[in-house]
Amino acid sequence: MQKVKVDLERAKFFDELSDSWDAKGPSPEPEVVLTFLRKLNIDSEKTVLDVGTGTGLLILHIFSFHPARVIAMDLSSRMLSILRGKHSSRFGARLEILQGDVHLLNLQDASVDIAVCNGVYPHFQDKPLALSQLHRVLKKGGLLAINHFAGRQFINSIHGSSSHDLIRRDLLDPVMILSETIAGCGFHVKEWRDDATEYYMIAEKI
Ligand SMILES: C[S@@+](CC[C@H](N)C(=O)[O-])C[C@H]1O[C@@H](n2cnc3c(N)ncnc32)[C@H](O)[C@@H]1O
């Protein structure tokens, strides 16, 4: 059996970006974020996993739907320490901060209702493995969202011009190709968009 290793190279890359991340911008307008999150049916019964949460761009927006619990998960300890400083005193035990790699997801089977991967999917080094982990932790009927608040060409131009070799290869596929990958991993694709301003795919665990 192949041994999966934590993605230390990307962890270091994002650790080094963490201090400047919030100033990088442009951030999406709150209404754009909320319009997207409304599609995920977050309510007071739900546990939401924010995969690759970074410094917590989505956290306040997710909490505006009053979920039972939010798990803010990221590879980068420095991204998470900024997130902790901004959000942990406000939400107490309802906000769980988890450092780790999605490929080795340290969560119980069927423990999550909604998993959001905002701005992170192209960075997964083994996408079928990452998707199988997300499938495992989601409840049946739970939702997986993969999204960027920007168009695919824009994201690929940013990653493609990175000074870091690894990041230059972290490119987004057209959503139709993503849909085939997702469908092959036990999900039913419900909704998608792939245009100049937004990229997302929402799928249900079957
Ligand atoms: C481009 S940033 C996006 C951060 C945040 N979602 C946002 O929109 O501001 C990508 C984040 O995903 C994290 N990440 C990359 N690969 C990961 C992995 N395999 N598992 C968990 N997090 C990962 C990085 O550390 C980084 O914080």
Side-chain angles (χ1 to χ4, degrees):
M1 200 167 89
Q2 201 192 345
K3 196 159 165 10
V4 185
K5 295 205 186 90
V6 173
D7 188 349
L8 294 176
E9 237 182 308
R10 286 183 184 78
K12 180 170 180 292
F13 175 82
F14 284 107
D15 271 347
E16 284 167 3
L17 268 187
S18 60
D19 285 336
S20 57
W21 187 256
D22 282 351
K24 266 199 177 321
S27 290
E29 291 296 326
E31 198 41 46
V32 171
V33 178
L34 291 170
T35 300
F36 171 70
L37 291 176
R38 275 185 207 112
K39 297 174 187 298
L40 306 182
N41 307 324
I42 303 169
D43 64 33
S44 59
E45 311 272 292
K46 305 275 172 69
T47 292
V48 182
L49 170 64
D50 184 11
V51 183
T53 184
T55 59
L57 174 82
L58 292 185
I59 297 302
L60 285 179
H61 298 299
I62 293 173
F63 271 108
S64 72
F65 295 88
H66 310 289
R69 179 176 168 226
V70 176
I71 305 163
M73 199 278 269
D74 204 284
L75 195 54
S76 157
S77 59
R78 283 175 54 184
M79 287 279 192
L80 289 178
S81 100
I82 294 172
L83 180 149
R84 189 173 289 109
K86 292 197 297 191
H87 300 302
S88 64
S89 59
R90 186 151 171 192
F91 300 109
R94 287 169 66 217
L95 174 62
E96 191 179 315
I97 298 174
L98 178 66
Q99 192 202 343
D101 188 320
V102 70
H103 301 88
L104 297 154
L105 195 48
N106 188 15
L107 291 172
Q108 287 191 348
D109 296 359
S111 57
V112 167
D113 298 284
I114 299 155
V116 187
C117 303
N118 173 46
V120 64
Y121 184 79
H123 301 302
F124 296 163
Q125 56 180 331
D126 182 338
K127 292 176 174 61
L129 176 60
L131 290 169
S132 76
Q133 286 291 304
L134 292 168
H135 189 272
R136 179 182 65 74
V137 302
L138 277 165
K139 298 175 186 171
K140 193 168 181 222
L143 294 182
L144 169 68
I146 291 174
N147 76 294
H148 290 259
F149 294 113
R152 176 166 50 87
Q153 287 185 350
F154 178 76
I155 298 299
N156 286 346
S157 72
I158 302 279
H159 292 185
S161 60
S162 170
S163 56
H164 197 298
D165 286 351
L166 259 190
I167 303 298
R168 278 204 298 281
R169 295 199 293 269
D170 288 355
L171 301 177
L172 264 180
D173 284 328
V175 86
M176 295 316 287
I177 292 180
L178 173 66
S179 297
E180 282 170 24
T181 309
I182 300 284
C185 293
F187 292 94
H188 166 67
V189 176
K190 288 172 68 100
E191 196 178 339
W192 53 267
R193 179 171 167 183
D194 182 0
D195 60 27
T197 53
E198 221 172 321
Y199 180 98
Y200 66 74
M201 198 230 47
I202 298 169
E204 184 179 325
K205 173 172 169 173
I206 48 181

